[in-house]
Amino acid sequence: MVWTHFGRRVVGNLTTITSSWKIFAVGLLGFHWSNQLCRDLNPVDRQKVLQQHFLRYEQLAAYLRSSANDHEIMGITRVRKRLGDDRKTISIGTDQKSLILSDQVSYGIWGLYSTALRETGLVRGDLRELTETGLEIVGLIENNLIRQGEGLGMNWYFDFLRGQRKAVAIADLERENMRFVRAISADKVRDALIAALLRGSGKHHCQLALYDTCRALDLSVLKEAGMGTLVAKLGLQTKSPELRQALENVSQIERLLVLANALFNYLRRQDDEPLEAMASAIDLIYRFDHLPAGPDLTGVPYGSDLEALRVRLRSGDTLASLRCLLDMNKKIMTGRGGAAWVEESSSGRLRVRVKAETAHLPPIEELQTHWDYDYFLRSYARIAAQERR
């Protein structure tokens, strides 16, 4: 996608979903334990068994955390419901009735946090084996568990991972939950993990500059500022010309994407209307001279199409601009094996296949300030805001 192309120039490891350092901590510990229990298996069996171990661990960790009022959990809806039911035990397993998400592999930690962990340099490969840095952080967590006393013991955890225990008692959760939560959320774990996530793997120089820049910003900006304000303040604060240019590129491409989205979605409400009439109606309310000339779109997905669109918008040729949008949508959908959402018929009327019932043309001021995409900066800011200072 276009916005990810520019976002990855600034944040190289995080995604729009991965904004919780605690979930990263839970994931690291689970991948470590699961690999420990599978290390003697042959490569053919190891991947499958490793994944099963991790799914059981993720369930157990979720129940431990939620029962201790730590609810920043993937699958929290099912977890809360089961903890709230009048039951003495909760099943742990890989069957559908035990999963905490409809597709726990894809939408839990295994599927949604693994890439970010790899790109941060904390795990490697499909087996999610921990790197030296990952092992150092997990060592802090395990030492925290040990310092708090034996609790229910490590074998209690490992029996669930192996599938030897198939249900966890509510009473046991209440005995062990605070020990587990304190271990993963201790200050030293928090400091080491957040620093690793904010720095990234070191491959992305802009992200290293972003890390230094965020530490100089007021926490309220990281927690509360809208995307436009956040990007502007980062650009003003940074001492890195490379980061400043990357942020400027983000701001510029966003203006083009917001406008393109608004115009295309408006067309999705105009089935059987003449395209020329739509262009004339848009001309009555909009001028597009606010569009910046940058950034350079060389090497950007659909860059030549976006450049053609930008040139036509800036020149005031609205009809040609709308046809650029229709052509680009057709190319995108053809690449996905589907049909265009909107087409111009031979008679010049629109044929809409995928309608947008509520789309409207926003005020020009909104097109100049609204953000449709976050370029991974929102996740980054959320984690940065949790850093201890």
Side-chain angles (χ1 to χ4, degrees), residues 20-74:
S20 168
W21 70 268
K22 286 186 180 180
I23 295 179
F24 277 111
V26 171
L28 267 183
L29 182 61
F31 289 138
H32 180 55
W33 283 355
S34 299
N35 271 294
Q36 277 189 313
L37 296 178
C38 294
R39 61 189 170 197
D40 295 329
L41 296 179
N42 65 68
V44 175
D45 295 332
R46 186 173 178 180
Q47 175 81 20
K48 179 180 179 181
V49 175
L50 174 73
Q51 188 180 89
Q52 292 173 341
H53 283 8
F54 185 83
L55 294 182
R56 298 186 192 104
Y57 160 83
E58 184 178 15
Q59 293 163 29
L60 180 61
Y63 294 125
L64 285 166
R65 293 179 64 204
S66 187
S67 64
N69 293 315
D70 184 2
H71 300 304
E72 201 172 352
I73 294 165
M74 308 186 79

Side-chain angles (χ1 to χ4, degrees), residues 62-94:
Y63 294 125
L64 285 166
R65 293 179 64 204
S66 187
S67 64
N69 293 315
D70 184 2
H71 300 304
E72 201 172 352
I73 294 165
M74 308 186 79
I76 187 60
T77 301
R78 292 189 182 186
V79 169
R80 272 180 165 163
K81 182 179 184 305
R82 291 168 187 170
L83 285 171
D85 291 345
D86 187 18
R87 61 174 81 188
K88 294 183 178 180
T89 63
I90 301 174
S91 65
I92 302 289
T94 57

Side-chain angles (χ1 to χ4, degrees), residues 5 10 17 30 32 36 55 88 91 94 116 132 148 154 159 161 185 250 253-254 258 276 298 309 314 351 362 384:
H5 174 92
V10 183
I17 301 295
H32 180 55
Q36 277 189 313
L55 294 182
K88 294 183 178 180
S91 65
T94 57
E132 183 177 343
Q148 294 181 76
M154 295 303 295
D159 285 348
L161 269 66
S185 57
V250 162
I253 194 62
E254 180 65 5
V258 166
E276 288 190 14
T298 304
L309 173 64
R314 282 169 56 85
R351 180 187 177 194

Side-chain angles (χ1 to χ4, degrees), residues 215-226:
R215 300 190 86 187
L217 283 182
D218 189 272
L219 281 176
S220 63
V221 175
L222 298 173
K223 291 178 180 178
E224 302 166 11

Side-chain angles (χ1 to χ4, degrees), residues 333-352:
M333 295 313 299
T334 298
R336 297 176 182 175
W341 288 9
V342 185
E343 288 183 310
E344 183 182 11
S345 69
S346 58
S347 65
R349 292 181 175 274
L350 291 174
R351 180 187 177 194
V352 180

Side-chain angles (χ1 to χ4, degrees), residues 233-244:
K233 286 187 176 292
L234 288 169
L236 289 171
Q237 185 72 43
T238 186
K239 298 176 181 178
S240 164
E242 186 180 2
L243 176 58
R244 188 177 299 111

Side-chain angles (χ1 to χ4, degrees), residues 76-132:
I76 187 60
T77 301
R78 292 189 182 186
V79 169
R80 272 180 165 163
K81 182 179 184 305
R82 291 168 187 170
L83 285 171
D85 291 345
D86 187 18
R87 61 174 81 188
K88 294 183 178 180
T89 63
I90 301 174
S91 65
I92 302 289
T94 57
D95 56 296
Q96 192 58 42
K97 71 181 181 66
S98 300
L99 298 180
I100 57 175
L101 291 154
S102 59
D103 183 352
Q104 193 180 327
V105 172
S106 299
Y107 300 118
I109 299 174
W110 180 278
L112 294 183
Y113 272 69
S114 293
T115 298
L117 282 165
R118 286 193 203 95
E119 291 300 316
T120 305
L122 297 176
V123 304
R124 58 176 174 264
D126 291 340
L127 295 177
R128 283 84 167 160
E129 294 177 291
L130 271 63
T131 63
E132 183 177 343

